[in-house]
Amino acid sequence: MSILIKGGTILTHDDTYRGDVLLSDGLIQAVGSDLDVPANTDIIDAGGQYVMPGGIDPHTHMQLPFMGTVACDDFFTGTAAGLAGGTTSIIDFVIPQPQQGLLDAFHIWRGWAESSAADYGFHVAVTWWDDSVYEDMGTLVEKHGVNSFKHFMAYKNAIMATDDILVPSFSRCLELGAIPTVHAENGELVYHLQRKMLEMGLTGPEAHPLSRPPEVEGEAANRAIKIAQALNTPIYLVHVSTKDALDAIIYARNQGQRVYGECLTGHLLLDDSVYRDENWERAAAHVMSPPFRPKGHQEALWRGLQTGNLQTTATDHCVFCAEQKAAGADDFTLIPNGTAGVEDRMSVLWHEGVGTGKLSMNEFVAVTSTNSAKIFNMYPRKGAVAAGADADLVIWDPEGTRTISASTHHSNVDFNIFEGKTVKGIPSHTISRGKVVWKDGQLNA
Ligand code: URP
Ligand code: ZN
Ligand code: ZN
């Protein structure tokens, strides 16, 4: 069955023009006007709307086993929520336990992801090092299409990658043409400050940001960037949340170093006052790492996006319900870290970015889709509105509104960090591999 999207304005990372889009067999067949349309083609009227590449969220953790529990969106519910918000692809993370083979872990995650309602890819974390890790990285790149390896510089005594792991792993990435990515927080400092908070009797969520101040991120960002410089490899920093880390990226880019940065919708909007909420459940629901930051950092991140020093937006969608967060009732270090966002990213960014004039519509497409496709080697199959690309598209209603709420969102989680926010600019249709999976508020994932 073919679909013709008719009468819309096509929006890409570098162009805006009136045109129709013909889809069949999961692909975009043609873009333009007066297209040759087969009989029995379904017509979607996109008048007054924008037709843009489906969103790519380059940072999610569906059903992640983490901090003694498992994230409560699986690959189906999490990707279905994404589709409802206009995101047609995610890049999730395979996270082997130390000593677990990378390939073994990869196959486990691939099995879980069979239930995915949207397309997905994987970054693979390097959490330990020996010759088998070196070999498995090669197999993952050459046989399984993995383009990127993740290094958690935090989470001591769990998955933390210390310098003796970062150095050989970055070097191996360079050999393979894969890109190393880092969660930049100094895990040793976090561990020290967490112990200090607990000794001082600070056991609640208000201690979470105090144990992970901006310097913790700044130090790790600088270290990772310098290691990458010494080894002459590009590097990508996930969830950049501070001016400290952004300054390190800007400095390096100004020296000609190939450094990329991602920021999260939540970090662009929220500040650390959420941890001082008198309601423990609400404060704990915001516990994620890096934490939401003191006022001022948000504006710096927006400037990072505007200047092109940050290239991608993501969510770090990693969700735990109230009863899971309660594991840390007496000790904030035991609250499972993570918040939601995969369904809300596109609308919140349109509303706060395009709606305020901070971002142009084309920059919106770049930071929600095309730049991730380019950095992670999927472009122009993803992130483009062009003949031959996957038919992953959003028809965007710039006048449509939605009030975000945990009571109406599609994720399994019982909390939404944007609760009550009304956004203008929503997907009227989401099309995944040529199938309409979201239409006027109805999900058919
Ligand atoms: O708090 C977070 N971000 N949880 C998921 C793991 C990570 O650090 O990305
Ligand atoms: Zn992280
Ligand atoms: Zn993450």
Short mmCIF file of all heavy atoms in Angstrom, two decimals, residues 162-207:
data_model
loop_
_atom_site.label_atom_id
_atom_site.label_comp_id
_atom_site.label_asym_id
_atom_site.label_seq_id
_atom_site.Cartn_x
_atom_site.Cartn_y
_atom_site.Cartn_z
N THR A 162 37.39 3.47 34.35
CA THR A 162 38.52 4.29 34.80
C THR A 162 39.48 4.51 33.63
O THR A 162 39.30 3.93 32.55
CB THR A 162 39.22 3.58 35.98
OG1 THR A 162 39.29 2.18 35.66
CG2 THR A 162 38.44 3.74 37.27
N ASP A 163 40.51 5.34 33.86
CA ASP A 163 41.40 5.71 32.74
C ASP A 163 42.04 4.48 32.08
O ASP A 163 42.29 4.49 30.86
CB ASP A 163 42.51 6.65 33.24
CG ASP A 163 41.98 8.03 33.58
OD1 ASP A 163 40.76 8.26 33.42
OD2 ASP A 163 42.78 8.87 34.02
N ASP A 164 42.31 3.43 32.88
CA ASP A 164 42.95 2.24 32.29
C ASP A 164 41.98 1.49 31.36
O ASP A 164 42.40 0.58 30.64
CB ASP A 164 43.47 1.31 33.40
CG ASP A 164 42.41 0.95 34.42
OD1 ASP A 164 41.47 1.76 34.63
OD2 ASP A 164 42.47 -0.15 34.98
N ILE A 165 40.71 1.86 31.38
CA ILE A 165 39.75 1.32 30.41
C ILE A 165 39.54 2.32 29.27
O ILE A 165 39.51 1.96 28.10
CB ILE A 165 38.40 0.99 31.10
CG1 ILE A 165 38.62 -0.07 32.19
CG2 ILE A 165 37.36 0.55 30.09
CD1 ILE A 165 37.39 -0.35 33.04
N LEU A 166 39.43 3.61 29.65
CA LEU A 166 39.17 4.63 28.62
C LEU A 166 40.26 4.62 27.55
O LEU A 166 39.96 4.68 26.34
CB LEU A 166 39.10 6.03 29.25
CG LEU A 166 38.03 6.31 30.31
CD1 LEU A 166 38.14 7.75 30.82
CD2 LEU A 166 36.63 6.07 29.76
N VAL A 167 41.51 4.55 27.99
CA VAL A 167 42.60 4.71 27.03
C VAL A 167 42.62 3.59 25.99
O VAL A 167 42.56 3.85 24.77
CB VAL A 167 43.96 4.88 27.76
CG1 VAL A 167 45.12 4.80 26.78
CG2 VAL A 167 43.98 6.20 28.54
N PRO A 168 42.65 2.31 26.41
CA PRO A 168 42.67 1.28 25.35
C PRO A 168 41.37 1.24 24.54
O PRO A 168 41.39 0.94 23.35
CB PRO A 168 42.88 -0.03 26.12
CG PRO A 168 42.51 0.26 27.53
CD PRO A 168 42.78 1.72 27.75
N SER A 169 40.26 1.57 25.18
CA SER A 169 38.99 1.50 24.46
C SER A 169 38.88 2.62 23.42
O SER A 169 38.46 2.39 22.28
CB SER A 169 37.83 1.57 25.45
OG SER A 169 36.62 1.49 24.74
N PHE A 170 39.26 3.85 23.80
CA PHE A 170 39.23 4.95 22.81
C PHE A 170 40.15 4.60 21.63
O PHE A 170 39.84 4.85 20.47
CB PHE A 170 39.72 6.26 23.43
CG PHE A 170 38.76 6.97 24.34
CD1 PHE A 170 37.66 6.33 24.90
CD2 PHE A 170 38.96 8.31 24.67
CE1 PHE A 170 36.79 7.00 25.75
CE2 PHE A 170 38.10 9.00 25.51
CZ PHE A 170 37.01 8.35 26.06
N SER A 171 41.30 4.04 21.98
CA SER A 171 42.29 3.72 20.95
C SER A 171 41.72 2.64 20.00
O SER A 171 41.88 2.71 18.77
CB SER A 171 43.55 3.26 21.67
OG SER A 171 44.40 2.62 20.82
N ARG A 172 41.02 1.65 20.58
CA ARG A 172 40.39 0.61 19.76
C ARG A 172 39.28 1.21 18.88
O ARG A 172 39.13 0.83 17.71
CB ARG A 172 39.81 -0.48 20.68
CG ARG A 172 39.09 -1.61 19.98
CD ARG A 172 40.03 -2.39 19.06
NE ARG A 172 39.44 -3.64 18.60
CZ ARG A 172 39.71 -4.17 17.40
NH1 ARG A 172 40.54 -3.57 16.57
NH2 ARG A 172 39.16 -5.32 17.05
N CYS A 173 38.52 2.15 19.43
CA CYS A 173 37.48 2.83 18.64
C CYS A 173 38.10 3.46 17.40
O CYS A 173 37.56 3.37 16.29
CB CYS A 173 36.77 3.91 19.46
SG CYS A 173 35.63 3.27 20.70
N LEU A 174 39.24 4.11 17.60
CA LEU A 174 39.90 4.78 16.48
C LEU A 174 40.27 3.76 15.40
O LEU A 174 40.02 3.97 14.21
CB LEU A 174 41.13 5.54 16.97
CG LEU A 174 41.89 6.31 15.88
CD1 LEU A 174 41.05 7.42 15.29
CD2 LEU A 174 43.20 6.87 16.42
N GLU A 175 40.83 2.62 15.82
CA GLU A 175 41.19 1.58 14.85
C GLU A 175 39.99 1.13 14.04
O GLU A 175 40.07 0.83 12.87
CB GLU A 175 41.71 0.33 15.59
CG GLU A 175 43.12 0.39 16.07
CD GLU A 175 43.50 -0.87 16.87
OE1 GLU A 175 42.72 -1.87 16.91
OE2 GLU A 175 44.57 -0.83 17.45
N LEU A 176 38.82 1.08 14.73
CA LEU A 176 37.62 0.51 14.10
C LEU A 176 36.78 1.56 13.36
O LEU A 176 35.82 1.20 12.67
CB LEU A 176 36.74 -0.14 15.18
CG LEU A 176 37.32 -1.38 15.86
CD1 LEU A 176 36.52 -1.73 17.10
CD2 LEU A 176 37.34 -2.55 14.87
N GLY A 177 37.10 2.83 13.54
CA GLY A 177 36.25 3.87 12.95
C GLY A 177 34.95 4.02 13.69
O GLY A 177 33.96 4.51 13.13
N ALA A 178 34.92 3.62 14.94
CA ALA A 178 33.73 3.82 15.79
C ALA A 178 33.97 5.05 16.66
O ALA A 178 35.11 5.49 16.83
CB ALA A 178 33.50 2.59 16.66
N ILE A 179 32.90 5.60 17.22
CA ILE A 179 33.10 6.80 18.04
C ILE A 179 32.93 6.46 19.52
O ILE A 179 31.96 5.82 19.91
CB ILE A 179 32.15 7.95 17.59
CG1 ILE A 179 32.51 9.26 18.32
CG2 ILE A 179 30.69 7.63 17.79
CD1 ILE A 179 31.96 10.49 17.64
N PRO A 180 33.91 6.87 20.37
CA PRO A 180 33.72 6.68 21.80
C PRO A 180 32.77 7.75 22.34
O PRO A 180 32.84 8.91 21.94
CB PRO A 180 35.13 6.86 22.38
CG PRO A 180 35.91 7.62 21.36
CD PRO A 180 35.23 7.45 20.03
N THR A 181 31.89 7.35 23.24
CA THR A 181 31.00 8.31 23.89
C THR A 181 31.22 8.18 25.40
O THR A 181 31.62 7.11 25.88
CB THR A 181 29.52 8.06 23.55
OG1 THR A 181 29.04 6.94 24.30
CG2 THR A 181 29.31 7.78 22.07
N VAL A 182 30.99 9.27 26.12
CA VAL A 182 31.20 9.22 27.57
C VAL A 182 30.04 9.85 28.33
O VAL A 182 29.46 10.85 27.92
CB VAL A 182 32.50 9.95 28.02
CG1 VAL A 182 33.72 9.18 27.59
CG2 VAL A 182 32.56 11.39 27.55
N HIS A 183 29.72 9.22 29.47
CA HIS A 183 28.96 9.85 30.55
C HIS A 183 30.04 10.49 31.41
O HIS A 183 30.78 9.80 32.11
CB HIS A 183 28.15 8.80 31.32
CG HIS A 183 27.58 9.26 32.62
ND1 HIS A 183 26.29 8.95 33.01
CD2 HIS A 183 28.09 9.99 33.63
CE1 HIS A 183 26.05 9.49 34.20
NE2 HIS A 183 27.14 10.12 34.61
N ALA A 184 30.13 11.82 31.34
CA ALA A 184 31.24 12.51 31.97
C ALA A 184 30.88 12.98 33.38
O ALA A 184 30.28 14.04 33.56
CB ALA A 184 31.68 13.69 31.10
N GLU A 185 31.19 12.17 34.36
CA GLU A 185 31.15 12.58 35.77
C GLU A 185 32.29 11.82 36.45
O GLU A 185 32.46 10.61 36.19
CB GLU A 185 29.84 12.18 36.46
CG GLU A 185 28.65 13.05 36.13
CD GLU A 185 27.45 12.67 37.01
OE1 GLU A 185 27.03 11.50 36.98
OE2 GLU A 185 26.95 13.54 37.74
N ASN A 186 33.03 12.50 37.30
CA ASN A 186 34.13 11.85 38.02
C ASN A 186 33.54 10.96 39.12
O ASN A 186 33.08 11.45 40.16
CB ASN A 186 35.06 12.93 38.61
CG ASN A 186 36.25 12.32 39.33
OD1 ASN A 186 36.11 11.35 40.07
ND2 ASN A 186 37.41 12.91 39.13
N GLY A 187 33.55 9.65 38.87
CA GLY A 187 32.88 8.71 39.76
C GLY A 187 33.52 8.63 41.14
O GLY A 187 32.85 8.35 42.14
N GLU A 188 34.83 8.86 41.19
CA GLU A 188 35.55 8.84 42.47
C GLU A 188 35.07 10.00 43.35
O GLU A 188 34.77 9.83 44.55
CB GLU A 188 37.05 8.98 42.16
CG GLU A 188 37.98 8.37 43.15
CD GLU A 188 37.71 6.91 43.45
OE1 GLU A 188 37.74 6.06 42.53
OE2 GLU A 188 37.48 6.61 44.64
N LEU A 189 34.95 11.18 42.72
CA LEU A 189 34.46 12.37 43.44
C LEU A 189 33.02 12.17 43.90
O LEU A 189 32.66 12.52 45.02
CB LEU A 189 34.51 13.59 42.51
CG LEU A 189 35.72 14.50 42.59
CD1 LEU A 189 35.63 15.56 41.49
CD2 LEU A 189 35.80 15.17 43.96
N VAL A 190 32.18 11.63 43.02
CA VAL A 190 30.78 11.39 43.38
C VAL A 190 30.72 10.48 44.60
O VAL A 190 30.01 10.76 45.58
CB VAL A 190 30.00 10.74 42.21
CG1 VAL A 190 28.60 10.30 42.66
CG2 VAL A 190 29.90 11.70 41.02
N TYR A 191 31.49 9.41 44.57
CA TYR A 191 31.49 8.44 45.67
C TYR A 191 31.89 9.13 46.97
O TYR A 191 31.24 8.99 48.01
CB TYR A 191 32.45 7.30 45.33
CG TYR A 191 32.45 6.19 46.36
CD1 TYR A 191 31.43 5.25 46.39
CD2 TYR A 191 33.48 6.08 47.30
CE1 TYR A 191 31.41 4.24 47.32
CE2 TYR A 191 33.48 5.08 48.24
CZ TYR A 191 32.45 4.16 48.25
OH TYR A 191 32.44 3.16 49.19
N HIS A 192 32.95 9.93 46.90
CA HIS A 192 33.45 10.64 48.09
C HIS A 192 32.38 11.59 48.62
O HIS A 192 32.10 11.62 49.83
CB HIS A 192 34.72 11.41 47.70
CG HIS A 192 35.25 12.28 48.78
ND1 HIS A 192 36.03 11.79 49.81
CD2 HIS A 192 35.10 13.61 49.01
CE1 HIS A 192 36.34 12.78 50.62
NE2 HIS A 192 35.78 13.90 50.17
N LEU A 193 31.77 12.37 47.72
CA LEU A 193 30.80 13.36 48.16
C LEU A 193 29.51 12.70 48.66
O LEU A 193 28.86 13.20 49.60
CB LEU A 193 30.51 14.36 47.02
CG LEU A 193 31.71 15.26 46.66
CD1 LEU A 193 31.42 16.07 45.39
CD2 LEU A 193 32.06 16.20 47.82
N GLN A 194 29.15 11.60 48.08
CA GLN A 194 27.96 10.87 48.58
C GLN A 194 28.18 10.43 50.03
O GLN A 194 27.31 10.58 50.88
CB GLN A 194 27.69 9.63 47.71
CG GLN A 194 27.06 9.96 46.36
CD GLN A 194 26.81 8.70 45.53
OE1 GLN A 194 27.54 7.70 45.65
NE2 GLN A 194 25.80 8.76 44.68
N ARG A 195 29.38 9.85 50.30
CA ARG A 195 29.68 9.40 51.67
C ARG A 195 29.64 10.60 52.63
O ARG A 195 29.11 10.53 53.72
CB ARG A 195 31.07 8.73 51.74
CG ARG A 195 31.28 7.56 50.79
CD ARG A 195 30.77 6.22 51.32
NE ARG A 195 29.35 6.01 51.29
CZ ARG A 195 28.62 5.68 50.20
NH1 ARG A 195 29.14 5.56 49.01
NH2 ARG A 195 27.32 5.47 50.31
N LYS A 196 30.18 11.73 52.15
CA LYS A 196 30.22 12.92 52.99
C LYS A 196 28.81 13.40 53.32
O LYS A 196 28.51 13.75 54.47
CB LYS A 196 30.99 14.02 52.22
CG LYS A 196 31.56 15.09 53.09
CD LYS A 196 32.60 15.88 52.33
CE LYS A 196 32.51 17.33 52.78
NZ LYS A 196 33.37 18.21 52.01
N MET A 197 27.92 13.41 52.33
CA MET A 197 26.53 13.84 52.57
C MET A 197 25.88 12.93 53.61
O MET A 197 25.21 13.40 54.53
CB MET A 197 25.69 13.76 51.27
CG MET A 197 26.10 14.73 50.20
SD MET A 197 26.00 16.42 50.75
CE MET A 197 27.48 17.09 50.03
N LEU A 198 26.06 11.63 53.45
CA LEU A 198 25.43 10.68 54.37
C LEU A 198 25.97 10.89 55.78
O LEU A 198 25.22 10.89 56.76
CB LEU A 198 25.64 9.24 53.89
CG LEU A 198 24.89 8.88 52.59
CD1 LEU A 198 25.30 7.49 52.09
CD2 LEU A 198 23.37 8.95 52.76
N GLU A 199 27.31 11.09 55.88
CA GLU A 199 27.91 11.34 57.22
C GLU A 199 27.32 12.59 57.86
O GLU A 199 27.18 12.67 59.08
CB GLU A 199 29.42 11.54 57.09
CG GLU A 199 30.21 10.25 57.02
CD GLU A 199 31.62 10.50 56.48
OE1 GLU A 199 32.13 11.64 56.60
OE2 GLU A 199 32.19 9.56 55.91
N MET A 200 26.98 13.57 57.03
CA MET A 200 26.40 14.81 57.56
C MET A 200 24.91 14.66 57.87
O MET A 200 24.25 15.62 58.27
CB MET A 200 26.58 15.96 56.54
CG MET A 200 28.02 16.44 56.43
SD MET A 200 28.28 17.40 54.92
CE MET A 200 27.23 18.80 55.23
N GLY A 201 24.38 13.46 57.61
CA GLY A 201 22.96 13.22 57.90
C GLY A 201 22.04 13.65 56.78
O GLY A 201 20.82 13.68 56.95
N LEU A 202 22.62 13.99 55.64
CA LEU A 202 21.78 14.36 54.48
C LEU A 202 21.47 13.09 53.70
O LEU A 202 22.33 12.58 52.96
CB LEU A 202 22.51 15.37 53.60
CG LEU A 202 22.66 16.77 54.18
CD1 LEU A 202 23.55 17.63 53.28
CD2 LEU A 202 21.29 17.42 54.34
N THR A 203 20.29 12.56 53.87
CA THR A 203 19.96 11.27 53.27
C THR A 203 18.91 11.38 52.17
O THR A 203 18.61 10.40 51.49
CB THR A 203 19.42 10.30 54.35
OG1 THR A 203 18.25 10.91 54.94
CG2 THR A 203 20.46 9.99 55.40
N GLY A 204 18.31 12.55 52.00
CA GLY A 204 17.20 12.71 51.05
C GLY A 204 17.66 13.17 49.68
O GLY A 204 18.85 13.46 49.46
N PRO A 205 16.71 13.27 48.73
CA PRO A 205 17.04 13.66 47.35
C PRO A 205 17.74 15.01 47.24
O PRO A 205 18.45 15.26 46.27
CB PRO A 205 15.67 13.73 46.66
CG PRO A 205 14.75 12.90 47.49
CD PRO A 205 15.27 12.97 48.90
N GLU A 206 17.59 15.88 48.25
CA GLU A 206 18.25 17.19 48.18
C GLU A 206 19.78 17.03 48.18
O GLU A 206 20.50 17.93 47.72
CB GLU A 206 17.81 18.10 49.34
CG GLU A 206 18.34 17.75 50.73
CD GLU A 206 17.59 16.60 51.40
OE1 GLU A 206 16.70 15.99 50.76
OE2 GLU A 206 17.90 16.30 52.58
N ALA A 207 20.26 15.88 48.67
CA ALA A 207 21.71 15.64 48.68
C ALA A 207 22.24 15.17 47.32
O ALA A 207 23.45 15.22 47.07
CB ALA A 207 22.05 14.61 49.75
#
